[in-house]
Amino acid sequence: LFQYPVENKPPKGNNNYPAGTIAMANAGGANPANGSQFFIVYRNTTLDPNFTIWGVVTKGLNIVKEVAAAGVVGGGTDGTPMQTISIESVSVK
């Protein structure tokens, strides 16, 4: 298990994680730390600025939105997508 501090945070405010943002999930608490889980924001979202932003979806946001529309396991608002997905390629610039 590895962890590192939260960095590259957005400012606090409305829609500080816009659609297409890729950010690290973390354990929360007083000193949240990043690990290996990430999330993709499918619509403009306001969150506490506690999540490291490390990328943005440049193609295929429509697919992310389709997966989100299918819901999550257990019917909640956050968690594992109901629709099985896989990321087949990633480009870093």
Side-chain angles (χ1 to χ4, degrees), residues 3-10 17 23-35 48-53:
Q3 294 183 328
Y4 59 94
V6 175
E7 54 193 17
N8 196 34
K9 301 182 290 187
Y17 291 86
M24 296 302 298
N26 62 52
N31 296 305
N34 296 312
D48 286 335
N50 295 328
F51 305 97
T52 296
I53 294 175

Side-chain angles (χ1 to χ4, degrees), residues 4-93:
Y4 59 94
V6 175
E7 54 193 17
N8 196 34
K9 301 182 290 187
K12 189 171 187 163
N14 290 331
N15 297 322
N16 56 348
Y17 291 86
T21 298
I22 304 170
M24 296 302 298
N26 62 52
N31 296 305
N34 296 312
S36 60
Q37 294 182 333
F38 67 93
F39 60 94
I40 303 172
V41 180
Y42 67 94
R43 66 177 177 207
N44 293 343
T45 302
T46 302
L47 297 170
D48 286 335
N50 295 328
F51 305 97
T52 296
I53 294 175
W54 59 269
V56 64
V57 174
T58 59
K59 292 186 210 173
L61 187 57
N62 60 315
I63 296 168
V64 173
K65 290 179 178 184
E66 288 174 19
V67 171
V72 299
V73 174
T77 59
D78 186 20
T80 304
M82 184 73 76
Q83 182 176 339
T84 301
I85 61 168
S86 64
I87 297 172
E88 296 179 357
S89 68
V90 174
S91 297
V92 178
K93 292 183 180 185

